[in-house]
Amino acid sequence: MFFKKECIAMLLAGGQGSRLYDLTRHTAKPAVSFGGKYKIIDFPLSNCINSGIDTVGVLTQYQPLALNEYIGNGAPWDLDRFRGGLNVLPPYQGSKSSDWYKGTANAIYQNINFIKQYNPDYVLILSGDHIYRMDYSQMLEYHKSRQAACTVATITVPMEEASRFGICNTNADGRIYEFEEKPKKPKNNQASMGIYIFNTSTLIDYLEIDEKDESSSNDFGKNVIPNLLANGEKLYAYTFEGYWKDVGTISSLWEANMDLIGEDPALNLSNTDFRIYSRNSARPPQFIGEDAVMSNAMISEGCRIFGSVYNSILSGGVIIEEGAEVHDSVIMDDVVIKKNAKVYMSIIDSDTVIQEGVTVGDPKADKYHVTVIAKGSTVGPEKSGVAMEGKK
Amino acid sequence: MSTAGIIFSSLNNDTLTRLTSDRTVAAIPFACRYRIVDFGLSNMVNANISNISIVANYNYRSLVEHVGSGKDWDLARRAGGINFISPYQSSHSSSAKLYSTRLEALRNMQEHIAEFKEDNVVLMRCDAILNFDLQDVIRQHDKSGAAITFVTKRITPDFSAKIKRLMFSTVAGKITDIAMSNTYLSKNPELSLDILVMKTEYLRTIIREAEGYNYKSLTEMLFRSLRSRDYRTYLYDGYVASISSFLDYYRASMDMVNNCAARESLLNKQFAPIYTKVHNSAPVIYKAGSHVENSMIADECVIEGTVINSVLFRGVKVEKGAVVKNSVLFYGTHVGSGARVNCVVADKNVYIGDGTAVLSGNENIPFYIQKGRRI
């Protein structure tokens, strides 16, 4: 027995995130740490609950263990519900076929029966690799008011970067007449955020058409959206104003973290009306020792700081020993930076130990040359050369 | 052996008047992000106790709000979990009067206790803050066959309790003498931490006997039955903060920043985390130019000024040029630029305006600022 839901969300969380290199070797991208106490997936999940959407299917595929453990039954986001709530949807074996998810559209196609259980009028498609706070209910109102078949959320990007995105070309009333995936010569700078609201019947029809097309790469941006347009369906662009960042690369992940600090941070998470929720690990409060120096830093629970932290973001339980210095870096859970070690322009994944006196990273590096240290590493003097190579 | 827990939330409210003017002892904020009840609850949860009754008597709104369903302590359970027990009217007690002793509370909840399926029961008060291995106490209790095992602490030479506390003389762990002050006891008295382990069946016996002999309190029952019963102690030698006065509270808070061993044993013990209500606050931001020394800081604080030897709860703002020393600032305190604060305990949502000259108590008489005051 299932009860009708007006709108349910399908969150694509199966991407490999290969441009995050070592950070996603054993973890799906949505489970990568961000902003001290958060994981990337906290943002779309918190957006859902803050928008009144209480049924979310999370489609997982690549390295799902850490992600599954993190999201659990959805309780941290208030998504443990009698009806609906959070459902993890890995690929499964059916009576006729069994298959990995071949693309974003195919992943949803394989879960059409999940959608049908709730008989929703609308389906919201989300991806698990963006940092933003968005009230989807406003987008849904817009979708309804335009009587659209599909609404694509867009964000204004700098013109010179527009060729990296899917660009929506619209009429004055917001109706999309053309969708160009990564155009060489973009006609405008309204980029798709990879967030769509579909009328359920439209979505199911077009997913079935897409599935039958063997030449399709089963991708929303490349195949499904252009197909809708070709058939004259009503597609509208919903312009989102606010902070939004795709954190698919090391440089953008580093940059998005840095957006949390500074004189006037681009992203301020201490907004009590629109909380970002995360799983809490019962750590003690942070302790700051006598000779600690912290300048422009964001520091999480359980940290113990005896050294210096400049322009950096520290996740839970990080220990910075006496004389150690951290500059312009992102330090994830339970990292220990021993006495007199120096860290510059780095992202250090969890459970890593930087040994006494070792230097990691290059103070003169720019954001495209951030050093990445994999989870659980021990960086000693003999290994510091390896660490210096870094990843672009 | 399974064990149930009973926590008495408000037995010495009157000695902590300032902090308990609108909350019960159990709900007093402590160490940045906790309330005192979190220690009792977490000690029990870490000993696999999942049926916990909280006796709430007095001013318990903030306590109920804090504990809620018990979810954050993993106590939102179908069987057991958290139960709040408060005074109520019934056919055999016409006036719902407040309990003044634990025994009265236990008598009032005897129907609830009758339903306990657990073999043992632990009784705890909220005025001793510690992180200890309760499972080991229960194990020893089972092994010794004692009627009641009391967790105690050896009294140090500098001990001088202003209020009367229960103390024991023991021989090989067996209690031989009881007094409410150490002057009457022979050498090496032990201070009761008011943590008691007994068989659930024995608790039911106590309640029946209390009716028969008209005992008023557990202490009276102890005095009267000492000769005929096997009462033993479990000596605990770790850190304990006994909170029986406002000064005790201030000193225990300062221990969290000045006494590394105390901090580690209370908050950083391996496999014994202290759980508390989750607020989903953002991490702390330290602006350029901030200066922080030897302090404990909770989430969602924004620090631009100077903080030394202090404990800051969630959402405290210290503006540029402000100096906070030796102070405990509760949730939402705002310290305006140029303000100087020393040896202060500021209750929830205090606003200290820009340029406030100097607010200072001293180490023996910390200055208390009431909830919501604007200075």
Side-chain angles (χ1 to χ4, degrees), chain A residues 153-173:
Chain A
T154 62
I155 184 127
T156 310
V157 295
M159 203 63 203
E160 60 273 19
E161 287 179 30
S163 57
R164 298 200 291 117
F165 294 92
I167 295 297
C168 294
N169 298 318
T170 59
N171 299 329
D173 67 344

Short mmCIF file of all heavy atoms in Angstrom, two decimals, chain A residues 153-173:
data_model
loop_
_atom_site.label_atom_id
_atom_site.label_comp_id
_atom_site.label_asym_id
_atom_site.label_seq_id
_atom_site.Cartn_x
_atom_site.Cartn_y
_atom_site.Cartn_z
N ALA A 153 16.65 23.72 -14.32
CA ALA A 153 17.21 24.80 -13.50
C ALA A 153 18.50 25.28 -14.15
O ALA A 153 19.33 24.47 -14.57
CB ALA A 153 17.49 24.31 -12.09
N THR A 154 18.63 26.59 -14.24
CA THR A 154 19.84 27.14 -14.86
C THR A 154 20.48 28.17 -13.93
O THR A 154 19.83 28.72 -13.05
CB THR A 154 19.54 27.85 -16.20
OG1 THR A 154 18.66 28.94 -15.96
CG2 THR A 154 18.93 26.89 -17.20
N ILE A 155 21.75 28.37 -14.17
CA ILE A 155 22.48 29.37 -13.40
C ILE A 155 23.34 30.18 -14.36
O ILE A 155 23.81 29.66 -15.37
CB ILE A 155 23.34 28.70 -12.30
CG1 ILE A 155 24.05 29.74 -11.42
CG2 ILE A 155 24.39 27.77 -12.90
CD1 ILE A 155 23.81 29.54 -9.97
N THR A 156 23.50 31.46 -14.04
CA THR A 156 24.30 32.32 -14.90
C THR A 156 25.77 32.04 -14.64
O THR A 156 26.21 32.12 -13.49
CB THR A 156 23.98 33.80 -14.59
OG1 THR A 156 22.57 33.95 -14.62
CG2 THR A 156 24.63 34.72 -15.59
N VAL A 157 26.50 31.69 -15.67
CA VAL A 157 27.94 31.44 -15.51
C VAL A 157 28.70 32.48 -16.32
O VAL A 157 28.13 33.08 -17.24
CB VAL A 157 28.34 30.01 -15.96
CG1 VAL A 157 27.70 28.95 -15.08
CG2 VAL A 157 28.01 29.77 -17.42
N PRO A 158 29.98 32.73 -16.01
CA PRO A 158 30.75 33.66 -16.83
C PRO A 158 30.79 33.17 -18.28
O PRO A 158 30.91 31.97 -18.52
CB PRO A 158 32.15 33.62 -16.20
CG PRO A 158 31.95 33.08 -14.82
CD PRO A 158 30.76 32.18 -14.89
N MET A 159 30.64 34.09 -19.21
CA MET A 159 30.54 33.75 -20.64
C MET A 159 31.72 32.87 -21.08
O MET A 159 31.54 31.92 -21.83
CB MET A 159 30.49 35.04 -21.46
CG MET A 159 29.85 34.89 -22.81
SD MET A 159 28.09 34.40 -22.72
CE MET A 159 27.92 33.67 -24.34
N GLU A 160 32.91 33.19 -20.56
CA GLU A 160 34.09 32.44 -21.03
C GLU A 160 34.09 30.98 -20.55
O GLU A 160 34.79 30.14 -21.10
CB GLU A 160 35.39 33.15 -20.64
CG GLU A 160 35.64 33.34 -19.15
CD GLU A 160 35.01 34.62 -18.59
OE1 GLU A 160 34.09 35.17 -19.25
OE2 GLU A 160 35.42 35.07 -17.50
N GLU A 161 33.27 30.69 -19.52
CA GLU A 161 33.20 29.30 -19.05
C GLU A 161 32.01 28.55 -19.62
O GLU A 161 31.86 27.34 -19.40
CB GLU A 161 33.11 29.27 -17.52
CG GLU A 161 34.41 29.62 -16.82
CD GLU A 161 34.25 29.61 -15.31
OE1 GLU A 161 33.41 28.83 -14.80
OE2 GLU A 161 34.96 30.39 -14.65
N ALA A 162 31.14 29.27 -20.36
CA ALA A 162 29.86 28.68 -20.78
C ALA A 162 30.05 27.42 -21.62
O ALA A 162 29.20 26.53 -21.60
CB ALA A 162 29.04 29.72 -21.54
N SER A 163 31.16 27.33 -22.33
CA SER A 163 31.33 26.18 -23.22
C SER A 163 31.62 24.88 -22.45
O SER A 163 31.69 23.81 -23.04
CB SER A 163 32.45 26.45 -24.22
OG SER A 163 33.63 26.76 -23.52
N ARG A 164 31.75 24.96 -21.10
CA ARG A 164 31.93 23.74 -20.31
C ARG A 164 30.60 23.14 -19.86
O ARG A 164 30.55 22.09 -19.25
CB ARG A 164 32.79 24.02 -19.07
CG ARG A 164 34.20 24.50 -19.36
CD ARG A 164 35.11 24.29 -18.16
NE ARG A 164 34.77 25.16 -17.04
CZ ARG A 164 34.37 24.72 -15.85
NH1 ARG A 164 34.25 23.43 -15.63
NH2 ARG A 164 34.08 25.57 -14.89
N PHE A 165 29.50 23.88 -20.12
CA PHE A 165 28.20 23.47 -19.56
C PHE A 165 27.19 23.15 -20.66
O PHE A 165 27.44 23.39 -21.84
CB PHE A 165 27.62 24.62 -18.72
CG PHE A 165 28.42 24.92 -17.48
CD1 PHE A 165 29.43 25.88 -17.50
CD2 PHE A 165 28.15 24.26 -16.30
CE1 PHE A 165 30.17 26.16 -16.37
CE2 PHE A 165 28.89 24.54 -15.15
CZ PHE A 165 29.89 25.49 -15.18
N GLY A 166 26.05 22.61 -20.25
CA GLY A 166 24.91 22.52 -21.14
C GLY A 166 24.21 23.87 -21.10
O GLY A 166 23.85 24.36 -20.04
N ILE A 167 24.05 24.49 -22.28
CA ILE A 167 23.53 25.86 -22.31
C ILE A 167 22.09 25.86 -22.84
O ILE A 167 21.78 25.23 -23.85
CB ILE A 167 24.44 26.75 -23.20
CG1 ILE A 167 25.83 26.87 -22.57
CG2 ILE A 167 23.82 28.12 -23.44
CD1 ILE A 167 25.86 27.56 -21.22
N CYS A 168 21.20 26.57 -22.10
CA CYS A 168 19.80 26.67 -22.51
C CYS A 168 19.57 27.98 -23.25
O CYS A 168 19.79 29.05 -22.68
CB CYS A 168 18.89 26.65 -21.28
SG CYS A 168 18.93 25.10 -20.40
N ASN A 169 19.14 27.88 -24.50
CA ASN A 169 18.78 29.09 -25.23
C ASN A 169 17.28 29.26 -25.13
O ASN A 169 16.51 28.36 -25.49
CB ASN A 169 19.24 28.99 -26.68
CG ASN A 169 20.76 28.88 -26.76
OD1 ASN A 169 21.48 29.57 -26.05
ND2 ASN A 169 21.24 27.96 -27.59
N THR A 170 16.83 30.41 -24.60
CA THR A 170 15.41 30.59 -24.27
C THR A 170 14.81 31.79 -24.97
O THR A 170 15.52 32.74 -25.35
CB THR A 170 15.22 30.80 -22.76
OG1 THR A 170 15.97 31.95 -22.37
CG2 THR A 170 15.68 29.58 -21.97
N ASN A 171 13.46 31.77 -25.09
CA ASN A 171 12.71 32.96 -25.49
C ASN A 171 12.61 33.88 -24.28
O ASN A 171 13.00 33.52 -23.17
CB ASN A 171 11.29 32.57 -25.93
CG ASN A 171 11.33 31.63 -27.12
OD1 ASN A 171 12.24 31.71 -27.95
ND2 ASN A 171 10.36 30.74 -27.18
N ALA A 172 12.00 35.04 -24.53
CA ALA A 172 11.88 36.02 -23.45
C ALA A 172 11.09 35.47 -22.26
O ALA A 172 11.36 35.82 -21.12
CB ALA A 172 11.21 37.28 -23.98
N ASP A 173 10.12 34.58 -22.51
CA ASP A 173 9.30 34.07 -21.40
C ASP A 173 9.95 32.88 -20.69
O ASP A 173 9.33 32.27 -19.82
CB ASP A 173 7.91 33.69 -21.90
CG ASP A 173 7.95 32.49 -22.84
OD1 ASP A 173 9.06 32.16 -23.34
OD2 ASP A 173 6.89 31.89 -23.09
#
